[in-house]
Amino acid sequence: MNIVWWHWLILGLILIGLELIIPSFTIIWFGLGAVIVSIVLASLPSCPLSVQILIWTVASALLTFAWFRFFNTRLDRTKAGSSKGAVIGETGLVIRGAQQYDKGTVKFHLPLMGADEWPCVADDPLAVGDRVRVVDVEGHVMKVEKIAKGDK
């Protein structure tokens, strides 16, 4: 059996279509690799099967690598401490008070790192209703400081 350019094109379209059923966003790159092989094979019809498979493998690997390395913005999902810079300075309201260095709970107007309530600690005692500002993230606990009345 001789593999021609449209065989690779059909394989590529099937793999790209599978991405709709199995949304992993990796199968699509193998489908695009097959489409690239079909383009190469259409222009060089005497290309041996081993070279076609090599082109498909390399193209798929390069497209997958490029996606995850350069274009995928979903990789900065929240991990412990990774979004610290975006959280520092945010203000919230203490909904469960705590003594010095004990854990209380702070509620934010908008969710931070996926939640609107976070455990918190402070150098000073916290009372329910105190307004606080995030100064650090220590694991899954926000380190906060009280905001004096009138400060923003």
Side-chain angles (χ1 to χ4, degrees), residues 8 29 31-42 55 59-60 63:
W8 281 105
W29 307 119
L32 288 175
V35 171
I36 290 171
V37 174
S38 73
I39 293 169
V40 169
L41 196 55
I55 293 170
S60 299
L63 288 169

Side-chain angles (χ1 to χ4, degrees), residues 9 11 19 21 59 93 96 100 118 121-122 130 148:
L9 183 62
L11 174 66
E19 188 65 49
I21 299 168
L93 185 68
R96 191 183 68 166
Q100 185 178 20
W118 282 90
V121 295
D130 284 346

Side-chain angles (χ1 to χ4, degrees), residues 96-118:
R96 191 183 68 166
Q99 293 301 316
Q100 185 178 20
Y101 304 117
D102 284 339
K103 283 186 187 175
T105 303
V106 62
K107 183 173 178 99
F108 297 97
H109 179 66
L110 295 173
L112 299 178
M113 298 189 301
D116 60 349
E117 292 182 10
W118 282 90

